[in-house]
Amino acid sequence: MEGPGVGVPAADTVSAAVDGGGVIRAWSPGAERLLGHAATDVVGRPAGILLDQAPPPGAPGPEGWRGTLRLRHREGHVIEAEVAASPIQDGGDEPRWLLLATAARPSADQLTLLGWAHEQAGESLALYDPEGRLIWGNATVRGHIGLSAEEMSGPPLDRLFAPGGDHAESRFAQPSSREGEAIREYVERIRRVAREGSHARFETTIVTADRREPVDWSVSLSPVRDPASGVIRAVYAVGTDITEQVRARERLVLLKEAGDRIGGTLDVTATAQELADTLAPHLCDLAIVDLLPQVATGGEPTAAAERGGHTMHRAAQRSIREGVPEAALSVGRLERYPEYSPPARALATGSAVLSDLGDPDFERWLHEDPVRHARTEAYGFHTMMTVPLRARGIVLGIARLLRARPEPFVGDDLLLAEELCARAAVSIDNARHYARERGTALALQRSLLPRQLQGQIAVDVASRYRPAAGRMGVGGDWFDVVPLSGTRVALVIGDVVGHGVHASATMGRLRTAVRTLADVDLPPDELLTHLDDLVSHLAEQEEAADPSAAAIGEVGATCLYAVYDPVSRICAMASAGHPPPVITGPDGTAVPVDISPGPPLGVGGLPFEATQVVLPEGSLVALSTNGLIAPRGRAIEQGQRLLHEALAEPAGSLDEICDRALGELLPERQTDDAALLLARTRALDARHVVTLDLAAEPALVATARKAAADQLVAWDLTEAAFVTELVVSELVTNAIRHAEPPIQLRLLRGETSLIIEVSDGSGTAPHLRRARTYDEGGRGLLLVAQLTQQWGTRQTASGKTIWAEQQLPGGQG
């Protein structure tokens, strides 16, 4: 008893005592069982906290009050109860009331209607005892289980439907371990709810007797308590068939996965395989993707049928079995589809075609190929869906989906397959366009790069070029080896900003410009200055053609230009924003190169500086682009160190060194073009070079002529003596008459040519002119031009050098 004069309600009575202010003063154990609240939780608190409705109007009269109230259980649900309030006569001044409550009971009509509703409900409604025995199930449950009401009683479900159980044959021809596991898990959840008194909601998949196929269920389990004792007597189960919702959810997930998976490579074959991997096993047991032969090679597709049908290229296939043993044709082969076949009809109409073993054309096509027919029967294929791959109004190929599973294709399967194939077709078409553009750019670039590098007597050379893989496309990396006068050679490498045909075309223009400027024999820094002006002009032209384009960014480039002289063994070089060369001595040690790279070409307004390095004979000079030494994630210094290590390894040919360097430096996934130009230096000694200093006296012309003749005898080149003497006589005479001292004659013996050089202290360049009939002079250079293979002039630090090169008789050297 709580408070004076109030008796404690009996333990088995659902009762409570309330004072005149509506505060609870006593609470029976029966009330605790009905509403779940302990006495310590409610005594002393307003009774209104137990109501799920507004309090009845007014206070009870002397005769008391009776009615139905909605009471709130401790766990949140509502209980309708019949409540009677009676005054307590305890002699006190304050009124008190005894509340007696019983759970509201439905009428007989209500119970009848409730029974009909449960029996006829579309959901599966069932009652299980705490061990998982089926106490009652409505008609829907009985239909799914395949048992009558009398047969449902007995052992728990996990034993009732276990393989070999009493009623296993009524539901399964041969219950699988997966199905048995689902039932065991279902029963264990029932037992847990009965044991813990908690609610449970979950999804499961169970094969039903009436449908003989997996059905997805949303199941809600609730404990059923005795209101009087609170003991859990049963578990109430509500099962809702959510198979369609699950299939729709799976389709959405598959579409998302397809969007993430298909078309990530810009490769036609890889994209076709990604489609096949998506279709099987999600939609079919065997997926085959065939493309028109032109599409497979990046060409323009034509879906026009040849006489008798279509020839298709097998691009990809995927099966639920490893190795795709069901396929009658391997990937990469051609298959011909006759006009009546389902694949040919899909190609012709551009619409999906659904075929099964009842289709005469389908069966005729299967029987036409014994291998196809045998494998169709062996693996149990009965249905085929052929979906055309259409993109931008063009049919690119077909996807064939075959099923051996019992379920035939339905309308949602067709819609899903068409959506997947449409997405894949766009990706395949993008990959086709990319392959064609990449092929064009690569062909253009290869046509512009030197096919054979001739280092002549100055250097031995080798090179490698690797275009970027994937989406980046062909870049603008380029290199060249340009023979110069005096057995010198120019080594050049560059990198144009951007990728594709535009970059390749710009690269070709720059390479041509470098060759033209090299023929003028400009020093490296001056050559880069002229090249910088050219790139700036190109940028201006691009901007004038398209003002919205960032022209300088599109035409910008880097370049490294080096000139090696095998006589002095000096290598002069200058850089326009390009990494310096890596030079390794003949003993494997690194040769330091102190070069200050200028700005990239196209920036303009800033000078370029040249530097010189004396190289031991047999040094390796490596010119490379960022794609080789500084791919993403690697610093240039680290890349140059790795390149030096590759060059310093014991040797092999230059080609072998190039291959080793690329193998060690290129990343696994190459995202930028990579170029490598490798040169091993030679040196010309007294056996190949003779020099004679001359005073500015006409009488010394004969001395120069005789010295040249004597040297040709020593070199066993007497057959070249006549032309050599004439050329020496003319060039030395011009130097004495028209130039300034010092004057020097130099003969260089190359592998197939002889070079005659006359240097003087004048910076004035000579030029050819046409002599008149009675002129006594003016024919010297014209004679030199006629007698030699080529001639020219170059500026030096002290003046100029005029040179002439003649081919040795019989190519001897």
Side-chain angles (χ1 to χ4, degrees):
M1 175 176 176
E2 299 279 345
V6 179
V8 176
D12 57 350
T13 304
V14 180
S15 59
V18 180
D19 64 16
V23 177
I24 299 173
R25 295 302 181 185
W27 189 257
S28 74
E32 180 178 350
R33 286 191 297 272
L34 178 64
L35 297 180
H37 297 281
T40 55
D41 296 332
V42 296
V43 172
R45 300 182 66 185
I49 64 173
L50 302 177
L51 295 176
D52 190 56
Q53 65 178 54
E63 70 280 1
W65 178 87
R66 179 180 297 274
T68 302
L69 295 178
R70 292 170 52 84
L71 304 179
R72 186 183 298 112
H73 193 275
R74 183 175 182 272
E75 294 182 356
H77 57 277
V78 176
I79 297 176
E80 288 194 1
E82 296 289 340
V83 180
S86 302
I88 298 175
Q89 304 296 329
D90 59 356
D93 295 334
E94 183 180 358
R96 298 178 184 271
W97 304 92
L98 176 65
L99 306 180
L100 300 177
T102 58
R105 299 182 181 277
S107 65
D109 287 343
Q110 290 175 326
L111 288 175
T112 299
L113 291 174
L114 184 62
W116 291 348
H118 278 72
E119 177 67 15
Q120 299 170 23
E123 284 77 12
S124 297
L125 307 178
L127 277 174
Y128 298 92
D129 74 4
E131 290 301 316
R133 296 179 182 87
L134 186 59
I135 300 173
W136 171 85
N138 66 354
T140 304
V141 170
R142 295 195 298 273
H144 291 330
I145 294 180
L147 299 177
S148 65
E150 294 75 18
E151 292 173 322
M152 287 192 301
S153 61
L157 288 183
D158 54 348
R159 295 205 302 270
L160 183 65
F161 294 110
D166 294 340
H167 299 290
E169 292 303 320
S170 69
R171 182 164 177 270
F172 302 112
Q174 186 176 359
S176 68
S177 58
R178 182 178 178 182
E179 293 162 346
E181 180 62 30
I183 294 176
R184 285 191 295 273
E185 182 181 352
Y186 180 67
V187 173
E188 179 54 38
R189 288 179 182 270
I190 292 174
R191 291 169 180 165
R192 188 181 305 127
V193 168
R195 187 169 58 249
E196 299 175 359
S198 58
H199 295 265
R201 184 180 294 276
F202 59 94
E203 294 182 5
T204 186
T205 302
I206 299 177
V207 177
T208 61
D210 53 349
R211 291 169 61 174
R212 297 285 181 178
E213 62 183 25
V215 178
D216 295 293
W217 298 94
S218 173
V219 180
S220 175
L221 300 178
S222 303
V224 179
R225 289 182 173 87
D226 184 337
S229 64
V231 175
I232 296 176
R233 301 288 300 276
V235 174
Y236 181 59
V238 178
T240 304
D241 184 348
I242 59 170
T243 303
E244 288 303 315
Q245 294 92 315
V246 170
R247 297 295 178 269
R249 192 166 61 207
E250 290 174 349
R251 286 191 287 269
L252 290 175
V253 170
L254 184 58
L255 284 173
K256 180 184 181 303
E257 291 178 352
D260 296 337
R261 170 190 289 179
I262 298 175
T265 61
L266 278 179
D267 180 89
V268 171
T269 302
T271 304
Q273 187 61 55
E274 290 162 356
L275 173 60
D277 293 341
T278 302
L279 295 174
H282 299 289
L283 272 178
C284 60
D285 302 312
L286 173 63
I288 294 173
V289 179
D290 291 332
L291 300 177
L292 293 170
Q294 305 93 321
V295 174
T297 57
E300 284 296 328
T302 171
E306 308 164 9
R307 172 175 287 185
H310 292 268
T311 298
M312 304 291 289
H313 170 84
R314 179 63 46 84
Q317 50 195 20
R318 173 69 185 270
S319 163
I320 59 174
R321 298 174 178 85
E322 187 174 354
V324 198
E326 310 96 319
L329 198 70
S330 59
V331 172
R333 303 286 298 277
L334 296 177
E335 180 159 5
R336 187 171 183 79
Y337 293 111
E339 291 179 345
Y340 64 83
S341 64
R345 289 184 0 232
L347 281 169
T349 62
S351 302
V353 175
L354 202 58
S355 312
D356 55 34
L357 292 179
D359 182 351
D361 287 339
F362 182 45
E363 293 195 353
R364 176 187 172 189
W365 174 64
L366 290 177
H367 286 79
E368 186 180 70
D369 186 338
V371 176
R372 183 191 302 122
H373 180 239
R375 296 192 180 181
T376 299
E377 287 192 340
Y379 292 101
F381 293 121
H382 56 81
T383 307
M384 182 178 76
M385 185 195 304
T386 306
V387 183
L389 303 177
R390 292 173 56 90
R392 302 175 178 94
I394 301 174
V395 177
L396 307 175
I398 56 170
R400 290 198 286 124
L401 293 74
L402 292 94
R403 275 190 176 181
R405 64 188 73 173
E407 304 85 13
F409 289 113
V410 296
D412 287 341
D413 295 329
L414 178 60
L415 293 175
L416 179 58
E418 288 179 331
E419 177 65 24
L420 293 173
C421 289
R423 294 189 180 192
V426 172
S427 297
I428 289 174
D429 197 42
N430 290 339
R432 178 182 67 84
H433 283 288
Y434 169 77
R436 185 174 58 185
E437 180 178 343
R438 176 181 170 82
T440 301
L442 194 56
L444 174 61
Q445 187 171 49
R446 285 176 174 167
S447 69
L448 296 174
L449 288 174
R451 298 186 180 181
Q452 290 185 341
L453 297 175
Q454 297 294 337
Q456 296 186 345
I457 199 171
V459 292
D460 295 319
V461 291
S463 64
R464 292 293 184 273
Y465 169 73
R466 294 289 184 272
R471 296 176 178 267
M472 294 303 296
V474 179
D477 291 13
W478 58 283
F479 54 86
D480 206 352
V481 177
V482 185
L484 302 177
S485 63
T487 68
R488 296 169 307 132
V489 65
L491 307 173
V492 58
I493 193 166
D495 187 357
V496 175
V497 173
H499 294 82
V501 175
H502 182 271
S504 297
T506 303
M507 174 271 289
R509 300 166 79 176
L510 293 182
R511 177 173 176 262
T512 301
V514 168
R515 277 193 162 262
T516 302
L517 295 171
D519 284 342
V520 184
D521 249 326
L522 294 176
D525 52 341
E526 292 186 26
L527 183 141
L528 290 183
T529 300
H530 285 283
L531 198 61
D532 181 58
D533 292 339
L534 172 65
V535 173
S536 297
H537 291 322
L538 291 177
E540 292 172 1
Q541 293 173 8
E542 291 284 344
E543 189 171 16
D546 184 4
S548 64
I552 293 180
E554 292 183 359
V555 184
T558 64
C559 182
L560 175 65
Y561 184 80
V563 175
Y564 175 68
D565 186 345
V567 177
S568 64
R569 294 185 289 104
I570 292 177
C571 183
M573 64 191 76
S575 169
H578 202 87
V582 175
I583 303 179
T584 303
D587 59 353
T589 59
V591 177
V593 180
D594 185 14
I595 186 173
S596 299
L601 299 174
V603 174
L606 297 174
F608 299 98
E609 297 181 10
T611 187
Q612 294 185 349
V613 182
V614 178
L615 302 180
E617 182 178 6
S619 297
L620 283 177
V621 181
L623 286 70
S624 60
T625 57
N626 281 340
L628 179 65
I629 62 171
R632 186 175 301 172
R634 182 194 297 164
I636 291 179
E637 294 77 11
Q638 180 187 4
Q640 290 186 315
R641 184 174 65 254
L642 293 174
L643 180 55
H644 166 69
E645 293 172 357
L647 300 181
E649 292 182 19
S653 66
L654 290 180
D655 286 323
E656 291 173 343
I657 297 175
C658 283
D659 292 336
R660 181 171 65 233
L662 263 63
E664 294 180 4
L665 272 77
L666 282 181
E668 182 176 349
R669 178 169 177 78
Q670 185 182 343
T671 59
D672 194 7
D673 285 21
L676 174 64
L677 176 60
L678 193 60
R680 179 178 279 128
T681 63
R682 295 181 181 180
L684 299 184
D685 52 22
R687 295 172 299 173
H688 297 84
V689 182
V690 172
T691 302
L692 178 64
D693 292 325
L694 300 170
E697 298 179 5
L700 294 181
V701 174
T703 302
R705 190 166 53 241
K706 184 177 184 306
D710 292 342
Q711 185 59 50
L712 293 183
V713 171
W715 282 342
D716 194 22
L717 298 175
T718 55
E719 294 184 20
F722 177 74
V723 173
T724 302
E725 289 184 39
L726 284 177
V727 172
V728 169
S729 178
E730 292 297 332
L731 295 183
V732 172
T733 298
N734 283 347
I736 292 174
R737 286 183 177 179
H738 306 295
E740 301 173 0
I743 300 173
Q744 185 184 75
L745 169 67
R746 186 169 74 165
L747 302 180
L748 298 98
R749 177 184 177 182
E751 292 183 338
T752 60
S753 63
L754 178 68
I755 301 172
I756 304 163
E757 294 184 348
V758 175
S759 303
D760 59 55
S762 171
T764 304
H767 61 277
L768 288 174
R769 68 181 181 88
R770 183 177 295 276
R772 289 174 293 185
T773 305
Y774 299 105
D775 286 350
E776 295 183 1
R779 298 179 177 84
L781 288 181
L782 182 62
L783 183 62
V784 170
Q786 293 296 320
L787 293 176
T788 59
Q789 184 179 8
Q790 55 184 342
W791 75 280
T793 181
R794 67 175 182 270
Q795 298 296 315
T796 65
S798 58
K800 68 176 180 298
T801 296
I802 302 176
W803 57 271
E805 181 177 351
Q806 61 172 310
Q807 199 73 18
L808 293 176
Q812 57 182 328

